[in-house]
């Protein structure tokens, strides 16, 4: 029996990627699509790559249009999800691709987002310890941020195994789609092609508290995070270079063993063979996360690197994966682990 | 019952794309993969995006390794297909992604390729008049070149309807994957990023006689082709801008009507609504071809533009589509019409 | 003695490129810089690549701020130049990078721009027959459009020598900077990277009448132009592929001879050796235009291809070159013919 | 009186960039150009952007061809410089863009390069403490590596001022030109566009000991370096994100003050105003290095980020700047601090 899914915010990048994946999902029937300023337009004008849905017309993002579905994906600007969720009621599965329900600490939310905290929903990164259980049967899912997905998958095995000190240093490069579709001068093609540039340096990025939350939970102690995001001249992909000081006695072998153990049963997180490093090119459009880890004995650090597609595993793929878990479907159903290359 | 498929030349771009599509094909089981210089290596090293096949080892490209399959895809350098095909016998479906069997005229072959003509196989562009019938049940398929695919789909409706003079002018931009994976200085990233450059100007490109063959067949008279290919700073995609002088009495309406009629039943070739123009971004990884056509009354020309993914509809997707037709499977089976964007 | 120059519209792409070139000009002293919405801001914030001018503050674009200079470059939106010019008076050299004064035919202007025609100024493409003389000593210069620059330089020798029929077919690829700095969704990096897309197809582009004007003047008879511009995934550069039917008796040799003769004394327009084709990569940041031409005897056409940097030779470099001519300075003074590569 | 300069290795990226800069240098006359496999070819074929030198023919890289110049730039593969230098004698200024003479420690050289150590020459990064004095009047210069240039400029002020612990963590993104012009499969445009990928992870990159050497000298104690280089989808530019644990008592103000003091008199190293971060786009083709620094009090780290053009300040610009210092010319002569943007 088909799962009937609606997508609120179907004209944006996250909403479009949810639709791309749902079109290939064997159990899902795509219902209502909504937009705000784009309501009334053909999807074919807004998302010409979604050819099978070209003639669909966007409804306004209102509860009336979204009722009557088994699942509603919210791909809305921050701060709008709580009201929609309340109107839709407790029986529908709501999967929020926004930030509203990711953080557990209300103080963190208020500090980084500057508005009242809406609450906390089960966290849609099934690979984290305990997360899969919390998602099963849940009617609410908070999809993680793209950077926290990449970083948490790269580092949680090291923290869970006690290999490293609780001070993580992270530099991540993201494609421009992570910044969304709203036109801003610094996101113009003329500006981003040929350019690597940092932003939110020094702890200011909103994804920092989410990383701290995930890594601290894995470590069982507070972990500090120095996070520097950079914008790379590509549409999609995150490469996260993560490191922390190795604890005494840690060796290349113990690091490798810990990662193999932590990731061996994961369908989407793949520890590469030794000597092969992740590239964002290999996960373009894929829900896979590629991981490699090394022990730099001269510098005394463990370095873990992950590559994901920020829109797939980092957003919409994580959302559909969580939907599968929440609904009791096979976790991998309809989700590609094959990238598009070259 | 599964169709068992082998791929010869699995380490290249065409072979990799065939595998990407076959992985998503519900009726295909992937058998032997072969390589030449790469025989003995893990596919995961050579094609890290094909994660489900990462542990496959390439066999040498020899008939022994390729026997025992229902379909063999050949993604080999020009000139090698005939020998392999002969060894495999008449009962296996052989789909040649190379050029060897595309041309009907032996003189054209010898002039452009400088070697003896191997023969002519049914042409794997089902959308051309008569082509689908020739493919059904065939044990041999010559997959078209990427440029001829884009150009023929854009212009055959105009020639079939007698709208234009038999002198076509074509300028096409291709992503670099069309030039293959063999490393050459002018294909380095440092050289191609930020660069638009023409090549094979003045009739020298090997795809020219293939276009002439297709357009002349559609027109029922010899068509001359001025073809200028250009290399664009992107990995995938062909945008073909094609025009010819309008015949007397042609109007915007008659042009539109001819294209609508010619393309209305095609599952993969999509005439866009008036005013919307094709972009390669909308067909990234998709087997769709997007078409638009206009009548420039001031210049007296019909302009037809097509966008395809050179590796999908332009090579591997066309190959799988032809396999479906040849085997009597539904033509669309396993083939995406959704692109990856942004 | 220094030439004192002001730039109106210093925060945009054209204005920024004018400043980049003036900084390297040995006879120019940079005076007032103005902006509209950006008045009051540091140039270092808006144009961080212009490091020597980082601490300059933009004045509002008003005649008061612009008086007292020897040259005023206008890099303003269409329709604003006439009023500014009138206020500045007849004694100052005004070089308009906008379209307002390019067209000779008021009807063409009104048809393509939808507003009253402001007039016609000497045309800043010194390489065209007669243009250099008209610029010498002039106090007014209309800088050509970027596409007309590329196309006119590629085709005027063929038309001036009577080699081709008066029906030109042009397909040009432009970097995104040609579309300016105002943020629009389709110009986002996420949209343009990996994408080739046409626009203004079928005669609608505003540069079409300008090309017709230039080519008709060279031919001495009306020339029709079929012009298709495309947007390429790069910041800078235009590659223009231009062709027309060869007249009877034309040969490869006669074509080559005509181009050699027409271009031999030009400091910025370079006919490449036979067999070498222009690439935009070779003119990145350079005021050079690279040209190659071929005779396709099978298709019966002459094909001329040019590569320029749309912001340098196509806008700001053409402006400074014209300034040199107008002021009686050496035409090449301060202008690079060396590109930045790779 | 002109300085007569030869360039050995004129067909590669480093050699080409040296020539681009020398063409704009008012005191330099360009003499012999040499190549290895390309000897005998026109430079216009190999480096079409160097239009003023297009008709130059490359001589073989031999001492005979290189004698009789005031300066010889060596842009050769590692290991070839010592022999050439010995043949040219002690009176000519030799500027080696390769690695051969950068390291002081013979053991480091042998460990990272696997060959006997050729020696140590004055280090061509005048901004480092003491370096300018050592370069003045020298007849030998070892041009720094591109990554060590970016990293040393970003971090030496922090180490010289004792602000941070001697454990640096560095993640840097480089354009592909840093990998040179020799064609390798992973450097193909098809592979690098859309891809961020790390390499040499865990201390293996040959530039690591050079960074350690520079930062340890600045700190006056041994500094460990965790260095992860990544390849970014652009031709040029390095963005280096560098951090180290802040020492007790360090504040945002003390960090800012130390950087202002260290960099205030440098003509090419520019500390950006607070709140503005470096982008590689702003230094494209420029010899400037843009720096910004922050104190992340939550994570307890000082983060310094630099952007340079790897071929300009990171190689050829550093070489010409060092030539100026060595010859007693004004240090800034002929070197651009203006980038090409957008």
């Amino acid at each position: 029996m088909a799962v009937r899914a609606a997508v609120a915010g179907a004209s944006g990048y996250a909403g479009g990627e949810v639709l791309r994946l749902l079109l290939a999902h064997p159990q899902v029937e795509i219902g209502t699509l909504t937009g705000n300023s784009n309501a009334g337009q053909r999807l074919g004008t807004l998302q010409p790559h979604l050819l099978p849905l070209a003639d669909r017309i966007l409804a306004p993002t209102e509860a009336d249009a979204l009722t009557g579905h088994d699942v509603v994906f919210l791909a809305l600007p921050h701060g709008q999800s709580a009201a929609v969720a309340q109107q839709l009621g407790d029986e529908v599965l709501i999967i929020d691709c926004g930030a509203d329900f990711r953080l557990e600490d209300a103080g963190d939310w208020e500090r980084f987002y500057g508005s009242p905290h809406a609450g906390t929903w089960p966290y849609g990164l099934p690979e984290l310890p305990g997360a899969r259980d919390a998602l099963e049967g849940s009617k609410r899912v908070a999809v993680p941020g793209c950077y926290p997905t990449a970083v948490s998958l790269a580092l949680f095995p090291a923290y869970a195994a006690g290999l490293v000190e609780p001070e993580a240093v992270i530099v991540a490069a993201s494609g421009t789609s992570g910044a969304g579709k709203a036109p801003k001068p610094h996101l113009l093609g003329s500006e981003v092609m040929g350019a690597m540039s940092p932003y939110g340096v020094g702890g200011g990025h909103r994804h920092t508290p989410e990383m701290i939350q995930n890594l601290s939970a894995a470590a069982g102690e507070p972990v500090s995070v120095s996070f520097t995001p950079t914008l790379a001249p590509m549409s999609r992909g995150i490469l996260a270079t993560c490191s922390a000081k190795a604890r005494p006695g840690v060796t290349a072998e113990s690091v490798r063993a810990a990662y193999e153990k932590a990731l061996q049963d994961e369908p989407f997180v793949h520890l590469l063979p030794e000597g092969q490093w992740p590239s964002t090119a290999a996960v373009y459009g894929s829900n896979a996360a590629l991981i490699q880890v090394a022990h730099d004995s001269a510098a005394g650090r463990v370095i873990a690197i992950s590559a994901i597609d920020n829109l797939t595993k980092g957003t919409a793929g994580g959302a559909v994966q969580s939907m599968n878990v929440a609904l009791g479907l096979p976790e991998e159903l309809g989700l590609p682990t094959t990238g598009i290359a070259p």
Side-chain angles (χ1 to χ4, degrees), chain A:
Chain A
M1 205 192 66
V3 173
R4 198 166 155 78
V7 177
S11 61
Y13 289 155
E17 183 74 350
V18 168
L19 287 169
R20 182 178 77 84
L21 296 172
L22 294 183
L23 278 165
H25 195 292
Q27 297 273 355
V28 168
E29 182 188 323
I30 297 175
T32 299
L33 313 182
T34 80
N36 284 318
S37 56
N38 296 308
Q41 291 197 53
R42 286 178 76 246
L43 193 68
T45 307
L46 301 162
Q47 308 269 29
H49 64 297
L50 300 175
L51 202 55
L53 300 171
D55 292 328
R56 292 289 195 93
I57 306 294
L58 294 197
T61 302
E62 292 167 2
D64 276 4
L66 295 168
T67 52
H69 297 84
D70 303 305
V71 189
V72 176
F73 290 88
L74 303 181
L76 303 172
H78 300 317
Q80 303 187 0
S81 297
V84 175
Q86 196 171 18
Q87 291 174 290
L88 292 176
D90 293 344
E91 292 312 303
V92 59
L93 172 55
I94 301 182
I95 298 181
D96 185 16
C97 298
D100 298 21
F101 299 95
R102 290 173 190 161
L103 295 184
E104 293 165 9
D105 187 285
D108 278 349
W109 176 271
E110 284 157 21
R111 208 158 34 250
F112 279 86
Y113 291 87
S115 60
H117 189 221
T120 312
W121 287 356
Y123 192 71
L125 195 57
E127 293 85 356
L128 290 188
R132 197 168 268 122
D133 289 349
L135 290 168
E136 281 171 16
S138 172
K139 291 295 187 187
R140 295 290 186 269
V141 176
V143 178
C146 50
Y147 286 121
T149 296
V151 168
S152 303
L153 294 175
L155 278 183
F156 91 84
Y159 279 109
L163 300 173
V164 292
E165 300 290 344
E167 297 177 325
V169 177
I170 294 149
V171 179
S174 173
T176 54
S177 62
K181 206 174 184 171
K184 296 170 192 161
H186 75 287
L187 297 175
L188 284 174
S190 301
E191 301 292 321
V192 299
M193 289 186 283
M196 289 290 308
S197 57
Y199 60 105
V201 186
H205 195 281
R206 290 171 164 182
H207 285 176
T208 307
E210 196 178 338
M211 295 177 198
I212 291 174
Q213 176 177 295
N214 294 349
L215 298 181
S216 298
E221 63 175 322
V223 173
S224 76
V225 167
S226 164
F227 173 52
T228 306
T230 65
L231 200 63
M234 57 190 192
S235 291
R236 287 176 174 235
I238 288 178
L239 186 81
T241 302
C242 313
S243 72
K245 212 165 170 169
R247 285 200 157 135
V250 163
T251 64
E253 292 69 31
S254 64
V255 170
R256 181 89 198 163
Y259 273 74
E260 282 176 349
K261 191 175 159 215
L263 302 176
Q264 63 190 350
D265 294 330
E266 288 303 332
F268 293 113
V269 186
H270 183 74
L271 182 66
L272 289 166
E274 290 185 67
Q276 189 177 356
W277 288 88
S279 167
T280 61
V283 292
Y284 201 95
S286 161
N287 201 50
L290 300 181
I291 310 279
Q292 185 54 286
V293 66
H295 177 235
D296 180 344
S297 57
R301 296 183 76 86
V302 171
I303 303 163
I305 301 185
S306 62
I308 64 167
D309 184 318
N310 59 304
L311 287 180
T312 319
K313 180 58 179 162
T315 306
V320 173
Q321 182 183 351
S322 295
M323 177 196 79
N324 285 343
V325 174
L327 294 176
L329 297 169
E331 189 168 332
E332 302 166 71
L333 200 66
L335 285 168
T337 54
T338 303
I340 315 258

